[in-house]
Amino acid sequence: MTALDTLNPMSPLAAAIAKLFAAVLVILGLIFALVAVLVVFAIVRYRERPGAQLPRQILGSDRLEIVWTAIPILLLAVIFVFTVKVMHAASPSAASRSPDLLVVGHQWWWEVNYLKSGVVTANELHLPIGQRVLIRLESADVIHDFWVPRLGRKLDAIPGHPGYLWLEADAPGVYLGACAEFCGAEHAWMRFEVVAQPPAQFAAWEQAQLAVPPVPRPAPALAGRKLFVARTCVNCHRFAGTSADRHVGPDLTHLADRRMLAGGAVANTPSTLAQWLKDPNSIKPDSHMPNFQLSDAEVAELAAYLESTK
Amino acid sequence: MAVAIPQEAVRGRENYLREGGLLSWLITIDHKRIGVLYGLTSLGFMGLAGIEALLMRIQLAQPDNHFLSADVYNQFFTMHGTTMIFLVIMPLGLGFFGNVAMPLQIGARDVAFPRLNALSYWIFLFGALFMYSSFLFGGGPDAGWFGYANLTERFFTPGTRVDFWAIGLIILGFSSILGSLNFFVTIVNMRAPGMTFMRMPIFVWNILVASILVLVAFPPLTVGLIFLVMDRFIGTHFYSTVAGATPILWQHLFWIFGHPEVYILALPAFGIISETIPCFSRKPLFGYAAMAYATALIGFISYGVWGHHMFASGMGPIADAAFSLSTMIIAIPTGIKVYSWVATTWGGDFVKNTSFYYALAFVIQFTIGGLTGVMHAQPAMDLQQNGSYFIVAHFHYVIGGGSLFAFLSGIYYWWPKMTGKMMDERLGKLNFWLICIGFNMTFFPMHILGLGGMPRRVYTYGAGFHWAFWNMFETVGAFVMGVGILVFVIAIIQSLMSAETAVADPWDGRTLEWSIPSPPPIYNFAEIPHVHSKDAFWEMKHGRAQESRQPAAQPEHGAGGHGIHMPAPSLFPILLAAGLALVGIGAIAWLRITFVGVLIVYLAIIGMGFEYGTYGEHPSKERGDDAFPLDSRKVGMWTFIGSESLFFASLIGTYMVYKGRDLVGPTAKEILEIPLTSFSTFVLLMSSLLMVLALAAFERGNIRAGRNWLFGTAGLGCVFLGGQAYEFTKFFREGVTLQHNLFGQTFYTLVGFHGLHVLLGVIWLLTLAFASFKGMVPKKRALAVEFGGLYWHFVDIVWIVIFSLIYLMDKVTGA
């Protein structure tokens, strides 16, 4: 059964919204119940009675009309006050603080840059629990939207308009994130995960990500490295320690450590990675990753190389 | 029931449905027939949108499904939304119900401009077919019904799909504006004697406000679409970041249109419910005055709430709070409506028929949609719900469970009047229950999925997200609803084939349409009724009017419709609409077709103008022009000018927004030449003076002098255009092209569109002048010249605004 992620918050930012939702739901629920009960009562009470007299022709009632205009005004005023308070709690001002992370939306994947450490990753955002980090959100092409339902509000990534967003998680866990603004063919598979970790684990992860992988020893992986550098891979991707240093596609240095492939379309396993290299369209039909018509041997070598950093 | 209606005398003979053969429908200008055409067309497109929806539901029924590809799914959700909004709900609410019921409710023989009415329909049909033909040429539009820039730029969406969408919407916009202008003038000017605004049926109130909203909301959309077409076809950068512009401009233009559009979809539905609930409760509408004011207030506020669609774009806390407040204020008049409907049922004597069932389901479902709307009005909450299935649930409850249910109630209500047949109640209850249960099964769980984090517009989702159960449940519900719609179509066919005929007043109705035969004769009212109260017909049957023995809305016997002169059918509307469609086809296929289209449009306009002998003759004089408080054409012209002002306001607004954001020069300050333009301005102002002299001469009956002044006016217009051509050429030589920088594109677009208006004015005045050679401009009644003059003065005034804001302001303030 569906878990109500937005009502099951894992950060103070999301909790403020969930609380507001609950309070407003109660108020609006009462209004709905009133309307529904009156209508149902009327249906039961006033159904056609054969031979009944013409009902009294009531044109209106000033008193009643004033009441049902005034009470909603009061209710809305109350709700508005709640809202303004929660607006501040859910998206505190970033003032002049410099961002911790730069997240860039691409068709159809997310680039994550840790501005302090220099770690670059994709579609997987690691976060130390209990710390509020400020994200600078940009887009490399069209409008996207960064949304982690259990952690808080969403924000559009608009080309030419950087936005700022706080992110925080109370407890360790993997939280699903998605692009929430239609951005073209593969909008559905522009997902990501937020991996919240205790600070020590997070620091270890960050260190591991910074490591420049050595040239691999085993023959297939070594052959894969040669292919990687010689073929078109380097035109779009980065791989630390090689000449590949482009950001058109995701950074592949520590691809082997990531949980998912292709914006969340499949789990990252050696076999799905091989399938992805062989024919990206079989996993994500309109992905910008081209099919390079690699032979099975080449696919195996490239996969071995990409997996060698594990 | 004291009123005898001479219906047997006219039935069959002058029944509007039977007159003439099938071909006569192509040239009909009868509002009832045009209403029927709108209804059939919209139901056809609803079938298409429904099939798209069902195929999408099959795709979503299971996780990781491959029934539809991402590409096809994106086309379907784009066209499902575009179709339901522009080709189903809007034309049903205004085009169908507005035509079928509104003129009858105000006791009119037709709308103010019957040929314009036909024109609106044909433009609508051709525009819709144009847009759908996209599927034949490389797939349907696929950037969403909201078409967010910059995804719609050619770089991101190559091919013709978005071209068909954008040009199709521009064409459909013409239809909406002309149709609403017509309704506005009709309601303002053609109500039966005695029917003051506060005696109008409440449905008419809603059509009036919805029409005004169309007139103010469509110009910004048209401007937004023109920018989009320019970006895609000639490489300007209105929505791309390349030259310093921003894709957010589109969001503002689109939602300034988009939110009033929501009420354009909802108000006719409110109107219908406000007729059917009183009728079937056998009580008057509770709080008529409050309802009328609430309608007007909703329309007014809806123009100032567009930002609530943009909370996620990060407008900042001040703008967010302001839009939140204005949006929440709309809930108050909307709440008044819901309570008034409930109060109307209170103490009534229910007639439990299908129409009433749909009306009561509407009240409940619309309340759900309205209340979730209050949630989205709050930025914090909206930032969790926006872009998720919670929103999908919300607007389907408003537009599906709301508007569509109201329309079904309205169809069951007015069907006997429209067709002279009754609909079967057993089939009616069956389709009601299927549609109602199916609807709620489909859309209620979407709230749950939205809260569970499911984003909109995704063609599939993973099994690990735990969304599969409710998606499957919704798909089952969608098919139940589909079967319900099928039963509804069967009910329609069964009714049309049945022998049972409807009486004039099957529901003991309250408004004037029930006082005439079912179906009505071509001329509607044998005698125009005189109205003394709200619910005129009810009062006549049961109420005060009868007690006082006044012949309230009672048509007099004897006339039987003889001697009523109705305007003749016309071929020009369909011709003109076809020409307009060719303009669009040419833009995508082969530019020469566009020129053919423009020529056809021009000839058709000329043809329409002179169809009744001399230009400016009134097509239907059965009541004499004096019967109406104002001349309809004059009201129409002023309304048109009002709508045009908003077109220019949107262009000027864009110029102002982009001013100072240029990445490269030269900009206004460095390049604009005041002396030359001051001369042009002077020339244009002088032309207005000559126009005044021309009109005066025609009014005196001095055609020759009038003609000469007209030539003079047009001549000065040409001088102005020459100055503009010189200026444009000079700027081009200096490297300022449309694509060069923001100043270039906004300047040429604004000034160029003004120049185009001057050019149209020159053609108009020259056409009038040449027509006067042939004696086709009537003496004394100089209205034809007066309209040309009004337009000319308007174009001059726009120029003064442009001259002050764009040319002078920079120099004076040095800003």
Side-chain angles (χ1 to χ4, degrees), chain A residues 67-90:
Chain A
V67 167
W68 71 45
T69 309
I71 291 180
I73 291 178
L74 288 177
L75 284 178
L76 288 176
V78 170
I79 292 178
F80 184 69
V81 171
F82 285 163
T83 298
V84 173
K85 274 178 131 169
V86 173
M87 271 168 74
H88 186 70

Side-chain angles (χ1 to χ4, degrees), chain B residues 662 664-668 670-671 734-736 740-741 743-744:
Chain B
D662 279 295
V664 292
T667 58
E670 293 137 29
I671 196 168
E734 290 171 28
V736 183
H740 177 70
N741 61 4
F743 164 72

Side-chain angles (χ1 to χ4, degrees), chain B residues 381-397:
Chain B
M381 233 184 298
D382 179 69
L383 291 171
Q384 274 289 25
Q385 294 162 353
N386 190 12
S388 82
Y389 260 86
F390 198 88
I391 295 280
V392 181
H394 157 72
F395 67 72
H396 278 96
Y397 266 87

Side-chain angles (χ1 to χ4, degrees), chain B residues 392-414:
Chain B
V392 181
H394 157 72
F395 67 72
H396 278 96
Y397 266 87
V398 173
I399 295 174
S403 296
L404 197 60
F405 271 63
F407 292 171
L408 287 163
S409 173
I411 290 173
Y412 266 89
Y413 178 64
W414 277 305

Side-chain angles (χ1 to χ4, degrees), chain B residues 80-95:
Chain B
H80 173 76
T82 307
T83 307
M84 287 306 291
I85 288 165
F86 292 99
L87 310 182
V88 180
I89 303 293
M90 201 172 144
L92 275 182
L94 283 168

Side-chain angles (χ1 to χ4, degrees), chain A residues 2-3 6 28 41 46 48-49 54-55 57 59 76 79 83 141-142 147 149 154 156 161 185-187 191, chain B residues 74 150 241 246 282 284 287 312 328 346-348 350 371 378 383-386 451-452 457 459 465-466 470 510:
Chain A
T2 305
T6 59
L28 300 183
F41 181 83
Y46 302 118
E48 205 166 8
R49 292 149 292 177
L54 194 59
Q57 304 289 297
L59 290 170
L76 288 176
I79 292 178
T83 298
D141 36 51
V142 301
W147 185 34
K154 59 173 69 71
D156 285 353
H161 284 261
E186 285 293 340
H187 164 60
R191 300 191 61 87
Chain B
N74 293 343
N150 52 343
T241 47
T246 165
R282 299 173 52 74
M328 279 161 72
W346 215 247
F350 286 10
L371 292 174
Q378 300 164 57
L383 291 171
Q384 274 289 25
Q385 294 162 353
N386 190 12
L451 292 174
R457 302 168 180 137
Y459 72 97
F465 307 158
H466 307 293
W470 286 117
R510 312 184 74 88

Side-chain angles (χ1 to χ4, degrees), chain B residues 267-428:
Chain B
L267 288 178
F270 294 172
I272 292 166
I273 293 306
S274 308
E275 297 292 337
T276 56
I277 287 186
C279 178
F280 296 120
S281 304
R282 299 173 52 74
K283 280 182 65 203
L285 183 66
F286 193 94
Y288 172 92
M291 283 296 241
Y293 295 140
T295 306
L297 197 61
I298 287 174
F300 184 73
I301 305 173
S302 76
Y303 212 52
V305 299
W306 77 90
H308 71 229
H309 294 268
M310 297 168 60
F311 289 145
S313 74
M315 294 184 295
I318 307 290
D320 280 4
F323 279 118
S324 167
L325 194 60
S326 63
T327 306
M328 279 161 72
I329 289 172
I330 284 203
I332 294 160
T334 312
I336 291 175
K337 293 204 160 212
V338 172
Y339 300 128
S340 298
W341 290 322
V342 174
T344 305
T345 64
W346 215 247
D349 176 22
F350 286 10
V351 181
K352 293 182 83 176
N353 63 18
T354 311
S355 176
F356 197 38
Y357 275 37
Y358 274 115
L360 291 174
F362 164 93
V363 173
I364 304 261
Q365 289 166 177
F366 175 75
T367 303
I368 294 178
L371 292 174
T372 50
V374 173
M375 291 181 169
H376 313 142
Q378 300 164 57
M381 233 184 298
D382 179 69
L383 291 171
Q384 274 289 25
Q385 294 162 353
N386 190 12
S388 82
Y389 260 86
F390 198 88
I391 295 280
V392 181
H394 157 72
F395 67 72
H396 278 96
Y397 266 87
V398 173
I399 295 174
S403 296
L404 197 60
F405 271 63
F407 292 171
L408 287 163
S409 173
I411 290 173
Y412 266 89
Y413 178 64
W414 277 305
W415 184 262
K417 181 55 57 190
M418 223 173 82
T419 62
K421 305 274 188 176
M422 297 304 284
M423 281 181 88
D424 184 73
E425 272 301 313
R426 274 169 315 167
L427 279 177

